[in-house]
Amino acid sequence: MSLEAKPRAAASEIVDLALEAAPNGILVCDGRGTILLANRRAAGMFGYPAGELLGRSIDALLPEASRPAQADRRAGFWLEPRTLPMGAVRDLFGRRLDGSEFPVEAGLTVEERDGRRLVIVSVVDITVRVQQEKAIRAETVARLAFGRMVSGLAARFVNIPAHQVDEAIVDGQHQLVEALGIDRSGLWQFTDDGDDLIYTHVWSRPEFPPSTHDFSAREEFPWLLSKVRANQAVWNASPRDVPDPIDQKNMRRRGIQSSALLPLSVEGRVIGAIGFATLRAETTWSPYVREQLILLATVFAHALARKSGRQRLEKALADVEGLRQQLARENVELRQEVRALTGPRVIAAESPVVRTVLAQIESVAPTNATVLLLGETGTGKEVFAQAIHDRSARRGRPMVRVNCAAIPAALIENELFGRERGAYTGALSRQIGRFELAEGSTLFLDEIGDLPLESQVKLLRVIQDKVLERLGSVDPITVDVRLIAATNRDLEGAVADRTFREDLYYRLNVFPITVPPLRERVEDIPVLAWTFIEEFSRASGKRIDSLSKESLAALRRYPWPGNVRELRNLIERAIILARGPRLVVEPPALAAVAPPTSANLAEVQAEHIRGVLERVGWRVRGRGGAAELLGMKPTTLDSRMARLGIRRPRALV
């Protein structure tokens, strides 16, 4: 071997060693999809002996049903070959030698050697990850369902007549036993002398005999009784967890496997206890279940206390109302968690202008600075606001959203700052505002330019002092909220017209970010289009494999007056009409709108909106109306028409 050949051989040996040691399966293919090289991990992943993959078509590693589509994708890939990072090739399944299928994730790297174009495929078996994600989703959905049920139970006890309390408690026990998959729930109350507990409410599964009411808790369960008197909850996965031998013996005699016992207390006074038990198998009590059961124990306690007199009724109702609000707040957070399981929303950033915006977001997100998002309607300002929140230290709590234009002026302060009971006619209960709901998180105020002047004064004070007062109260409440505002209006012009406070404008304009319209980020249209295709194809159960080149070219040419919202609506309509796996999207014909005769942006918008209105017979609302074609809400279009001076012709009135 020559001196030059030795280093080359050594290098080749190192490459082979690295290939075999790679954590992923590695395949090298030519343009026809023939496998030229495969490491042991790839062979083992697909169930082939080492070396058996060489010379085979890569189609052999794909399910038969997906081979035609993958062949089309491969042909399209070779027309414009490019490197795709791991995760870019999604929704893939591999096929083992024994015919079994499994989910995979792949990345592609294009290389040229000796005039030949090769593709290096890196493959990862993501079966475990997919199973874990399904398990997490199932658990979170179950938590959400349980939270809704608990919220409904708590709400049922609001203003319930005293004579219906006992029936409602037993029904609640029934629902809890069924939801938790346990076997029995019993409720005890202290005797008049406070010396012992007696059974008053119980629900058991039909296959188990009801527990007798004639036993003494003091004699059979002295340790548990002492915990109830001390106002302490007890959670037992097994009778072995109970330290007292008397309690342990009687639990086994009565067939109790696992149990939970929660004191019922009102204003620190224990009036009884509610228990839950399994009789078939042992179980554990998760922290979330414990928290919900403790809340319901409080609800039941107050319901029972209501029967003792009208004087204590008002206090019980106030506490139940507070619990109902807390449960509703937790349900909002759970819904956010379900959405968050799919991962943060990725912003299409193929265009330089969006990359610049994302760079601004990366700079401001870690701070607590107020951000003002500016841009036309439909540009996705809320998505960028969510991106700021997701990159901030407050991302552990969901971002709270308020559309200032969608709330009547008479109710906006009630919505933002909350109210006390009796603050005005019809205010029958206390309600916390969005600022309090966003405590420790981010509050997104959309359409801030439509906020009434009288509400702007209160908002300014909250921003400056971090203090608010509910309607009907003079007690200050300190809040820790990061504010993000958005508008499609010219706030500087509104300040000049005295329709927007100058001091509030400068408070909001700490870090302005302009979200570009879609016509200025044409490079992002393919990514956005496929994002919407995947969303609506899943929702409709249709399979969409490709988007016609003609459609993509037409989407790039269209000026998008309705921005991203119009693109989303257009894709949804195209998928509804789709009859095959190849999607054809037809934007509104440009010829239907007269070409602009002015370079002034307001005049261009006015001419475009007027052209669309003429095409649909000046119909704003409904299916096929101008608002739908422009990708905006009818109310937004009405205000835009008023601002631009667009009026319906008299002949059509």
Side-chain angles (χ1 to χ4, degrees):
M1 181 180 295
S2 67
L3 293 176
E4 294 181 357
K6 288 182 178 180
R8 189 177 301 116
S12 177
E13 183 178 349
I14 292 173
V15 171
D16 292 341
L17 179 61
L19 183 67
E20 293 302 329
N24 301 344
I26 304 296
L27 301 168
V28 180
C29 305
D30 61 14
R32 295 188 299 275
T34 303
I35 300 174
L36 306 178
L37 182 64
N39 65 357
R40 286 193 181 91
R41 189 172 296 273
M45 185 186 304
F46 289 94
Y48 286 82
E52 284 293 317
L53 285 175
L54 303 184
R56 294 178 182 268
S57 171
I58 198 169
D59 286 342
L61 307 182
L62 299 173
E64 293 184 7
S66 65
R67 289 175 186 174
Q70 292 300 330
D72 292 341
R73 291 183 180 177
R74 187 163 60 245
F77 173 78
W78 282 116
L79 292 176
E80 297 182 19
R82 65 193 186 282
T83 295
L84 298 176
M86 181 64 68
V89 183
R90 295 171 292 175
D91 300 328
L92 282 180
F93 281 83
R95 184 178 186 274
R96 299 188 181 94
L97 180 60
D98 61 6
S100 61
E101 299 178 6
F102 62 102
V104 297
E105 193 174 78
L108 307 179
T109 303
V110 181
E111 295 288 345
E112 290 197 14
R113 289 291 185 272
D114 301 326
R116 299 175 66 191
R117 187 173 286 168
L118 305 175
V119 175
I120 302 172
V121 185
S122 178
V123 186
V124 177
D125 183 348
I126 59 173
T127 301
V128 175
R129 187 206 304 171
V130 170
Q131 292 172 345
Q132 290 174 341
E133 290 175 350
K134 287 182 179 179
I136 292 174
R137 272 196 296 272
E139 180 183 356
T140 305
V141 170
R143 286 180 59 186
L144 177 60
F146 187 66
R148 281 198 299 265
M149 185 205 70
V150 170
S151 179
L153 283 176
R156 180 179 179 182
F157 283 89
V158 176
N159 292 328
I160 187 173
H163 68 277
Q164 296 180 6
V165 169
D166 292 333
E167 180 184 353
I169 287 177
V170 174
D171 183 62
Q173 291 175 293
H174 178 188
Q175 292 186 50
L176 289 169
V177 168
E178 294 288 359
L180 294 173
I182 57 177
D183 302 310
R184 177 179 294 160
S185 173
L187 188 147
W188 298 264
Q189 295 185 64
F190 276 108
T191 56
D192 293 338
D193 58 9
D195 188 51
D196 204 353
L197 288 171
I198 57 172
Y199 250 134
T200 57
H201 305 76
V202 63
W203 193 90
S204 296
R205 291 187 180 274
E207 59 265 35
F208 297 105
S211 181
T212 58
H213 290 230
D214 57 351
F215 76 91
S216 168
R218 184 182 68 250
E219 295 177 1
E220 294 196 21
F221 302 103
W223 182 79
L224 291 174
L225 179 59
S226 69
K227 291 295 182 181
V228 171
R229 291 187 187 279
N231 202 9
Q232 296 177 4
V234 180
W235 312 91
N236 299 315
S238 164
R240 296 185 300 274
D241 297 337
V242 179
D244 191 288
I246 298 177
D247 293 63
Q248 197 175 110
K249 171 187 173 182
N250 286 300
M251 288 179 70
R252 289 195 172 95
R253 183 171 63 86
R254 293 183 177 276
I256 298 174
Q257 301 290 325
S258 301
S259 64
L261 188 65
L262 294 80
L264 302 177
S265 65
V266 178
E267 297 179 350
R269 182 175 64 90
V270 179
I271 63 173
I274 185 169
F276 303 90
T278 62
L279 306 177
R280 295 169 293 178
E282 294 182 357
T283 189
T284 57
W285 311 93
S286 70
Y288 180 75
V289 169
R290 294 185 183 193
E291 179 184 352
Q292 299 298 307
L293 291 181
I294 289 173
L295 289 172
L296 274 180
T298 306
V299 173
F300 288 173
H302 283 102
L304 290 170
R306 182 182 311 166
K307 297 174 62 178
S308 65
R310 182 70 183 178
Q311 183 178 5
R312 300 169 65 180
L313 175 61
E314 293 295 331
K315 180 67 171 69
L317 287 174
D319 291 342
V320 171
E321 173 65 16
L323 289 173
R324 188 193 67 78
Q325 289 191 20
Q326 184 175 348
L327 290 170
R329 183 173 176 176
E330 291 175 357
N331 281 336
V332 171
E333 294 175 358
L334 284 173
R335 286 194 292 272
Q336 294 287 345
E337 289 175 12
V338 170
R339 287 194 291 270
L341 284 174
T342 59
R345 299 178 70 175
V346 178
I347 296 175
E350 299 295 323
S351 61
V353 64
V354 173
R355 291 195 189 115
T356 300
V357 172
L358 289 181
Q360 293 177 295
I361 288 175
E362 293 291 345
S363 299
V364 75
T367 73
N368 285 322
T370 300
V371 179
L372 178 61
L373 296 175
L374 305 169
E376 300 175 11
T377 184
T379 53
K381 293 185 285 295
E382 183 173 343
V383 175
F384 285 89
Q386 186 67 53
I388 296 172
H389 175 73
D390 291 342
R391 290 162 172 79
S392 73
R394 300 170 181 263
R395 60 183 173 274
R397 294 182 62 82
M399 183 177 75
V400 177
R401 300 163 173 81
V402 178
N403 189 320
C404 299
I407 303 173
L411 299 179
I412 187 67
E413 291 186 20
N414 178 84
E415 191 72 19
L416 289 177
F417 310 120
R419 67 160 188 260
E420 294 291 344
R421 181 178 181 181
Y424 52 83
T425 303
L428 302 180
S429 63
R430 187 181 69 179
Q431 175 181 312
I432 64 172
R434 296 300 181 93
F435 267 96
E436 289 183 76
L437 188 62
E439 173 68 22
S441 184
T442 302
L443 178 63
F444 175 58
L445 297 180
D446 198 7
E447 306 292 355
I448 189 68
D450 294 319
L451 191 68
L453 274 171
E454 56 270 21
S455 301
Q456 295 177 24
V457 178
K458 284 195 174 183
L459 176 60
L460 178 62
R461 185 200 170 194
V462 176
I463 296 174
Q464 290 179 160
D465 302 335
K466 306 294 184 183
V467 172
L468 60 83
E469 294 175 358
R470 295 184 187 138
L471 292 179
S473 172
V474 294
D475 296 328
I477 299 174
T478 302
V479 291
D480 174 23
V481 175
R482 200 268 181 84
L483 193 65
I484 301 177
T487 184
N488 57 18
R489 294 183 57 189
D490 176 12
L491 290 187
E492 290 186 356
V495 169
D497 295 339
R498 299 186 180 277
T499 59
F500 199 86
R501 291 183 62 93
E502 183 177 14
D503 46 6
L504 177 59
Y505 170 69
Y506 288 118
R507 281 286 179 180
L508 295 174
N509 200 37
V510 175
F511 196 94
I513 296 177
T514 300
V515 179
L518 187 55
R519 61 181 173 275
E520 294 179 8
R521 47 183 297 204
V522 178
E523 300 91 338
D524 297 327
I525 289 178
V527 178
L528 289 169
W530 272 108
T531 299
F532 299 141
I533 289 172
E534 291 174 359
E535 174 188 351
F536 293 119
S537 62
R538 273 196 306 268
S540 63
K542 294 184 178 181
R543 174 182 165 188
I544 304 296
D545 293 333
S546 62
L547 176 64
S548 71
K549 292 183 178 180
E550 296 80 6
S551 296
L552 188 57
L555 295 179
R556 289 177 180 272
R557 290 192 302 268
Y558 187 64
W560 299 110
N563 292 298
V564 178
R565 186 183 294 126
E566 184 181 6
L567 173 61
R568 187 176 187 273
N569 293 344
L570 195 65
I571 295 295
E572 181 180 15
R573 187 159 56 249
I575 289 181
I576 292 173
L577 299 174
R579 294 293 180 266
R582 188 168 186 265
L583 187 66
V584 176
V585 184
E586 298 181 2
L590 292 174
V593 181
T597 59
S598 171
N600 181 280
L601 178 59
E603 294 180 7
V604 171
Q605 288 183 341
E607 291 178 10
H608 180 74
I609 292 174
R610 189 176 288 106
V612 174
L613 286 166
E614 291 174 353
R615 181 150 54 93
V616 298
W618 287 81
R619 184 161 55 89
V620 173
R621 291 165 172 77
R623 191 123 184 118
E628 180 183 9
L629 294 179
L630 291 170
M632 61 177 65
K633 298 177 181 178
T635 54
T636 303
L637 179 55
D638 288 338
S639 61
R640 184 73 58 86
M641 290 169 62
R643 190 167 70 250
L644 296 174
I646 301 175
R647 293 180 175 82
R648 187 183 184 93
R650 292 185 177 179
L652 298 175
V653 175

